[in-house]
Every structure is written in C-alpha cells, then in structure tokens.
C-alpha cells in the first residue's frame, strides 16, 4: 500500500477509523509505504493538514513493522 500523506491529512481524531480499514484489507505480509510530514517545533502536532506523523503514531495504528527512511529534504 502506498499512502502519499493521506494518513497525515486526516484529522488525528479520525486516524483510527482509517487505519482499521487499511489493516482489515491487508495481508500480514503486506508492505506499507508512507510519505508523511515530520514537523517540529511548537504546535507541530496540531498544525495541519497535513499533520505531523511520527514513527510511534504509525506503529500504534498499523499492524506492520515501521522502518523510517532518510528524509528527502
């Protein structure tokens, strides 16, 4: 699954709904690829959309291992 910041564009209060649907559709061996914003600074978790997405956020929402790649900026 390729998610080009759709997860990050969703209001954080609605992310559980999105991730539940995605988790129900994927096979255990599926690969998830997320492009997301890594915002820093004051209010970084509330500024958006797109909203900040951390590794911990992805791990808590999806039933697959998370590995971060180097940022492209």
């Amino acid at each position: 699954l390729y998610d080009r910041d759709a997860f990050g564009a969703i209001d954080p209060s609605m992310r559980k709904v999105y991730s539940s649907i995605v988790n129900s559709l994927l096979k255990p061996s599926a690969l998830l690829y997320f492009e997301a914003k890594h915002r820093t600074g004051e209010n970084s978790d509330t500024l958006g959309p797109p909203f900040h997405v951390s590794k911990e956020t992805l791990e808590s929402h999806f039933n697959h291992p998370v590995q971060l790649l180097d940022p492209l900026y």
Side-chain angles (χ1 to χ4, degrees), residues 2-73:
Y2 174 58
D3 179 312
R4 189 169 183 227
D5 215 14
F7 183 75
I10 296 170
D11 187 283
S13 67
M14 296 298 298
R15 287 178 175 171
K16 200 58 154 173
V17 174
Y18 176 83
S19 61
S20 293
I21 293 168
V22 169
N23 284 324
S24 73
L25 296 172
L26 296 177
K27 293 180 179 181
S29 61
L31 177 65
L32 300 171
Y33 179 82
F34 289 92
E35 280 189 41
K37 303 297 183 271
H38 179 72
R39 294 179 177 223
T40 59
E42 191 174 328
N43 300 322
S44 64
D45 289 333
T46 58
L47 294 174
F51 298 95
H52 170 74
V53 177
S54 68
K55 179 180 180 183
E56 293 78 21
T57 299
L58 293 173
E59 289 173 332
S60 71
H61 282 83
F62 297 97
N63 301 331
H64 290 56
V66 175
Q67 178 182 358
L68 298 180
L69 303 176
D70 290 334
L72 298 175
Y73 55 89

